[in-house]
Amino acid sequence: GNIVGDAPVHSTRIRVGRSIDGFGLSPGITKEQRIGVEQLMASAVQNFTGGLAGKYYPLTGMEESVRQQLVDDHFLFVSGDRNLTVAGMERDWPEGRGIFHNDEKTFLIWVN
């Protein structure tokens, strides 16, 4: 909920990039590094507790009903973004990618 009930802000987004020792950054990351980052992050989010506890959803092998719900929630976007494609960030799609959200769907992490 809002801290101030009549505040006009309904949501906000803060984007943060990552730098993990031993892993390249997009668009230069290799497929193997991308999968390594995903494995690292999928493991890390399992340790979240309290208001941050939730579930990690790998894009590879994702059930269509789950994918559609994440799209409907405006958490997951369809591949094919021209800017991402030109930058080389959609290579090997969807391998090594996923999304985490907490149980309340107020905290999200996009992986790769």
Side-chain angles (χ1 to χ4, degrees):
N2 287 341
I3 295 172
V4 178
D6 61 350
V9 177
H10 296 282
S11 71
T12 187
R13 180 178 297 175
I14 300 170
R15 297 185 76 114
V16 179
R18 59 124 182 115
S19 179
I20 302 172
D21 190 34
F23 295 99
L25 295 172
S26 293
I29 193 170
T30 67
K31 179 179 177 180
E32 292 75 22
Q33 288 177 328
R34 188 180 302 109
I35 291 169
V37 169
E38 182 191 24
Q39 291 170 343
L40 181 71
M41 294 304 297
S43 176
V45 298
Q46 290 179 11
N47 296 310
F48 290 174
T49 60
L52 295 180
K55 183 174 178 179
Y56 179 75
Y57 301 88
L59 295 188
T60 302
M62 180 179 284
E63 293 182 18
E64 176 57 25
S65 60
V66 172
R67 188 198 69 78
Q68 188 59 55
Q69 183 61 56
L70 291 168
V71 169
D72 291 347
D73 288 338
H74 304 284
F75 297 160
L76 190 63
F77 306 97
V78 181
S79 68
D81 180 293
R82 192 171 77 84
N83 295 318
L84 295 178
T85 301
V86 169
M89 295 172 63
E90 287 203 7
R91 287 184 330 276
D92 307 311
W93 188 271
E95 290 189 68
R97 295 172 173 89
I99 184 171
F100 168 87
H101 69 68
N102 66 343
D103 294 332
E104 292 79 26
K105 296 184 177 182
T106 58
F107 177 76
L108 292 89
I109 298 174
W110 289 275
V111 175
N112 291 318

